[in-house]
Amino acid sequence: MTTWLSDQEMAAWRGMVEVYASVIAELEADLLAGHGLSSGDYGVLVALSEAPDERLRMCDLASQLHLSPSGLTRRIDGMVKAGLVARTPSPDDRRVMLAMLTDEGRVRLEQAAPDHVAGVRRAFLDHLSEKQIRNLGDAFAAVTEQRAAQSPHVQATATAS
């Protein structure tokens, strides 16, 4: 038997979905217009910039970005053509391919990051008090941790963007 959402639960759920969709659409438009980057490309650049030696195994990058291996391959193909990312064999295992941030990718990330952070503030954070921001962070961390404990398929990682 289905346990329907209470009014408070429905307001929280719909609010999260609607705010997420609206904010992400605005940030995506800003990145495309200002820097020619999709939010997906920006996410790849951020993940690689934060990785040791600015490189990650393709399978680890796909997992971190919640993409299928083929979805990541398609995204990386375009980024390789644009000179933002390179593929290189792992020095530890030549069968493993690494995605590596290029100098051009680093420059583009450094150009886009200040505008992206300003957009995150404008579209989201500036509408909340410090207490609300802290409570949201705590709530999202609790959901992530509990889901990860219940399922091996859920990553308990913090993502930055």
Coordinates of all heavy atoms in Angstrom, one line a residue, residues 2 5 14 27 54 59 68 71 89 92 99 101 108 110 121 130 140 147 151:
T2 N 0.5 2.2 -0.8 CA 1.3 3.4 -1.0 C 1.0 4.4 0.2 O -0.1 4.6 0.5 CB 0.9 4.1 -2.3 OG1 1.2 3.3 -3.4 CG2 1.7 5.4 -2.4
L5 N 2.4 11.3 0.2 CA 3.2 12.3 0.8 C 2.2 13.3 1.6 O 1.1 13.6 1.0 CB 4.0 13.2 -0.2 CG 5.0 12.4 -1.0 CD1 5.7 13.3 -2.0 CD2 6.0 11.7 -0.1
R14 N 8.4 18.9 -4.0 CA 8.2 19.7 -5.2 C 9.1 21.0 -5.2 O 9.6 21.4 -6.2 CB 6.7 20.1 -5.3 CG 5.9 19.0 -5.8 CD 4.5 19.4 -6.1 NE 3.7 18.4 -6.7 CZ 2.4 18.4 -6.9 NH1 1.7 19.5 -6.5 NH2 1.8 17.4 -7.5
L27 N 21.9 28.4 -14.7 CA 23.4 28.2 -14.6 C 23.9 27.7 -16.0 O 24.9 28.1 -16.5 CB 23.8 27.3 -13.5 CG 23.5 27.8 -12.1 CD1 23.9 26.8 -11.0 CD2 24.3 29.1 -11.8
E54 N 45.3 16.1 -11.7 CA 44.2 16.5 -12.6 C 43.9 15.4 -13.7 O 43.6 15.7 -14.8 CB 44.7 17.8 -13.3 CG 44.8 18.9 -12.4 CD 45.2 20.3 -13.0 OE1 45.9 20.2 -14.1 OE2 44.8 21.3 -12.5
C59 N 36.3 5.3 -15.7 CA 35.2 4.6 -15.0 C 34.9 5.4 -13.7 O 33.7 5.6 -13.3 CB 35.5 3.2 -14.7 SG 37.0 2.9 -13.7
S68 N 26.7 7.0 -17.4 CA 27.1 5.7 -17.9 C 28.4 5.8 -18.6 O 28.8 6.9 -19.0 CB 26.1 5.2 -18.9 OG 26.1 5.9 -20.1
G71 N 27.9 7.3 -21.9 CA 27.5 8.7 -21.8 C 28.8 9.6 -21.5 O 28.9 10.7 -22.1
P89 N 46.7 6.7 -21.5 CA 46.8 5.4 -20.8 C 47.3 5.6 -19.4 O 48.1 6.4 -19.1 CB 47.7 4.6 -21.6 CG 48.1 5.4 -22.8 CD 47.7 6.8 -22.6
D92 N 49.9 2.9 -14.6 CA 49.9 1.7 -13.8 C 49.3 0.5 -14.5 O 49.6 -0.6 -14.2 CB 49.0 2.0 -12.5 CG 49.6 3.1 -11.7 OD1 50.8 3.2 -11.6 OD2 48.8 3.9 -11.1
A99 N 41.2 10.3 -18.1 CA 40.8 11.6 -18.6 C 41.7 12.6 -17.9 O 41.8 12.5 -16.7 CB 39.3 11.9 -18.4
L101 N 42.9 16.7 -17.5 CA 42.7 18.1 -17.8 C 43.8 18.7 -18.6 O 45.0 18.5 -18.2 CB 42.5 18.9 -16.5 CG 42.1 20.4 -16.6 CD1 40.7 20.5 -17.1 CD2 42.1 21.0 -15.1
R108 N 40.0 27.5 -19.4 CA 38.5 27.7 -19.6 C 37.8 27.5 -18.3 O 36.9 28.3 -18.0 CB 38.0 26.7 -20.6 CG 38.4 26.9 -22.0 CD 37.7 28.0 -22.8 NE 36.3 27.7 -22.9 CZ 35.8 27.0 -23.9 NH1 36.6 26.3 -24.7 NH2 34.5 26.8 -24.0
E110 N 39.1 28.2 -15.3 CA 39.5 29.4 -14.5 C 38.7 30.6 -15.0 O 38.4 31.5 -14.2 CB 41.0 29.6 -14.5 CG 41.8 28.6 -13.7 CD 43.3 28.6 -14.0 OE1 43.7 29.4 -14.8 OE2 44.0 27.9 -13.3
R121 N 25.4 32.0 -6.5 CA 24.9 32.9 -5.5 C 23.7 33.6 -5.9 O 22.7 33.7 -5.1 CB 26.0 33.9 -5.2 CG 27.2 33.3 -4.4 CD 28.2 34.4 -3.9 NE 29.3 33.8 -3.2 CZ 29.2 33.2 -2.0 NH1 28.1 33.3 -1.4 NH2 30.2 32.7 -1.5
E130 N 22.0 32.2 6.3 CA 23.1 31.3 6.7 C 22.6 30.0 7.3 O 23.0 28.9 7.1 CB 24.1 32.0 7.6 CG 25.0 32.9 6.8 CD 26.1 33.5 7.7 OE1 26.7 32.8 8.6 OE2 26.4 34.7 7.5
F140 N 20.9 17.4 3.0 CA 21.4 16.7 1.8 C 22.4 15.7 2.2 O 22.5 14.6 1.7 CB 21.9 17.7 0.8 CG 20.8 18.5 0.1 CD1 21.0 19.8 -0.2 CD2 19.6 17.9 -0.2 CE1 20.0 20.6 -0.8 CE2 18.6 18.7 -0.8 CZ 18.8 20.0 -1.1
R147 N 21.3 6.9 2.1 CA 21.1 6.2 0.9 C 22.4 5.4 0.6 O 22.3 4.2 0.1 CB 20.9 7.2 -0.3 CG 19.5 7.8 -0.2 CD 19.1 8.6 -1.4 NE 18.9 7.7 -2.5 CZ 19.5 7.8 -3.7 NH1 20.3 8.8 -4.0 NH2 19.2 7.0 -4.7
S151 N 22.4 1.3 0.0 CA 22.6 0.7 -1.3 C 24.1 0.9 -1.8 O 24.6 2.0 -1.7 CB 21.7 1.5 -2.3 OG 22.0 1.1 -3.6

